[in-house]
């Protein structure tokens, strides 16, 4: 039964919708956590340490954090595989492009695939930069995320990569949230306007919230 559902177009769209909402919830929590940087190094570093002790003593040190990471990896893979396979099906069903583009298609809709690729590359860079420190610009300091973040956003390329990725996040959420609602049967004529407004608000809020950190470093508010 699971294979039958997965092999169907509806099944893949449902997997995309659910995995997308899981990642959206994470992004909201991650953005709120990031904004703690404006309360100083002590507050931000304490928050980073707290993430590793959530659930203690029932959960061992970092177990909850690793559980979250595993869920996110599964969600990202499921989302990417579903998107790729649906894209291939779309190409096979319509090997020739339409003569005329749909005029009502939004910019966010037309850039979903490229946005997904940009975000996938960004996730890899972000992990190598602020989790492992492999490509970190300064001297990566374990247990001092505040200083590591300041180091990253003190470089032009760190800011450029992050800004481009966050714009892609906003565009992806703007279309993806509404699309997920349609797939899961939440959408209707009476709700479409509210759903689109919610999607726009979420996209704007998350983009602005994430971009506040590099802007804070660039302007000296965070230093």
């Amino acid at each position: 039964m699971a294979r039958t559902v997965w092999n169907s177009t509806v099944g893949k769209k449902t997997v995309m919708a659910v995995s997308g909402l899981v990642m959206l919830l994470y992004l909201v929590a991650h953005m709120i956590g990031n904004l703690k940087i404006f309360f100083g190094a002590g507050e931000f570093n304490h928050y980073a340490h707290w993430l590793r002790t959530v659930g203690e003593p029932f959960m061992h040190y970092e177990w909850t954090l690793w559980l979250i990471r595993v869920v996110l990896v599964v969600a990202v893979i499921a989302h990417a595989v579903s998107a790729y396979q649906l894209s291939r099906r779309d190409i096979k069903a319509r090997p020739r492009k339409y003569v005329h583009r749909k005029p009502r298609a939004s910019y966010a809709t037309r850039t979903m695939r490229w946005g997904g690729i940009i975000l996938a590359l960004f996730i890899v860079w972000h992990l190598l930069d602020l989790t492992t420190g492999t490509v970190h610009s300064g001297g990566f300091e374990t247990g001092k995320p505040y200083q590591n973040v300041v180091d990253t956003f003190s470089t032009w390329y760190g800011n450029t990569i992050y800004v481009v990725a966050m714009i892609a996040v906003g565009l992806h959420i703007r279309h993806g949230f509404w699309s997920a609602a349609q797939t899961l049967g939440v959408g209707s004529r009476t709700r479409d306007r509210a759903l689109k407004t919610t999607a726009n608000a979420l996209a704007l809020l998350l983009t602005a919230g994430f971009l506040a950190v590099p802007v804070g470093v660039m302007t000296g508010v965070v230093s």
Side-chain angles (χ1 to χ4, degrees):
M1 182 177 177
R3 179 178 289 275
T4 301
V5 172
W6 170 250
N7 287 336
S8 69
T9 297
V10 173
K12 292 184 188 299
K13 286 185 176 181
T14 301
V15 170
M16 272 195 74
V18 173
S19 59
L21 291 176
V22 168
M23 290 186 285
L24 177 59
L25 289 174
Y26 169 76
L27 285 174
V28 172
H30 190 39
M31 180 201 69
I32 293 172
N34 281 1
L35 294 177
K36 288 181 177 291
I37 201 168
F38 290 100
F39 295 95
E43 179 82 10
F44 192 69
N45 290 340
H46 176 70
Y47 162 69
H49 175 72
W50 172 80
L51 288 175
R52 289 160 172 74
T53 61
V54 173
E56 288 187 341
F58 179 74
M59 299 291 281
H60 193 62
Y61 182 76
E62 286 195 341
W63 278 13
T64 302
L65 183 59
W66 274 105
L67 179 62
I68 293 172
R69 287 170 175 168
V70 170
V71 170
L72 284 173
V73 168
V74 171
V76 169
I77 293 174
H79 199 76
V81 171
S82 299
Y84 175 76
Q85 292 185 354
L86 285 170
S87 176
R88 298 305 302 172
R89 286 188 179 185
D90 183 49
I91 292 172
K92 285 182 180 180
R94 181 175 49 82
R96 292 185 178 183
K97 294 183 178 180
Y98 291 123
V99 176
H100 300 288
R101 287 186 179 182
K102 294 180 180 180
R104 297 184 64 183
S106 67
Y107 183 76
T109 303
R110 298 196 303 269
T111 57
M112 282 294 284
R113 292 173 185 172
W114 283 109
I117 294 172
I118 290 172
L119 291 176
L121 294 174
F122 169 74
I123 289 171
V124 174
W125 176 82
H126 196 51
L127 291 173
L128 292 175
D129 178 36
L130 293 176
T131 300
T132 66
T134 307
V135 298
H136 190 67
S137 56
F140 184 80
E141 299 182 67
T142 303
K144 295 184 178 180
Y146 181 93
Q147 188 57 50
N148 293 332
V149 169
V150 172
D151 287 343
T152 291
F153 296 130
S154 295
T155 62
W156 67 268
Y157 58 86
N159 286 315
T160 301
I161 292 171
Y162 198 82
V163 169
V164 170
M166 291 309 103
I167 292 174
V169 164
L171 291 172
H172 214 75
I173 290 172
R174 184 187 176 196
H175 175 72
F177 180 84
W178 182 83
S179 181
Q182 304 305 309
T183 298
L184 297 176
V186 179
S188 67
R189 284 188 176 182
T190 56
R191 296 173 185 166
D192 275 359
R193 187 171 182 178
L195 288 170
K196 287 181 178 179
T197 300
T198 303
N200 289 334
L202 276 172
L204 182 61
L205 176 66
L206 285 168
T207 303
F210 279 115
L211 289 181
V213 178
V215 170
V217 175
M218 284 187 284
T219 57
V221 175
V222 177
S223 62

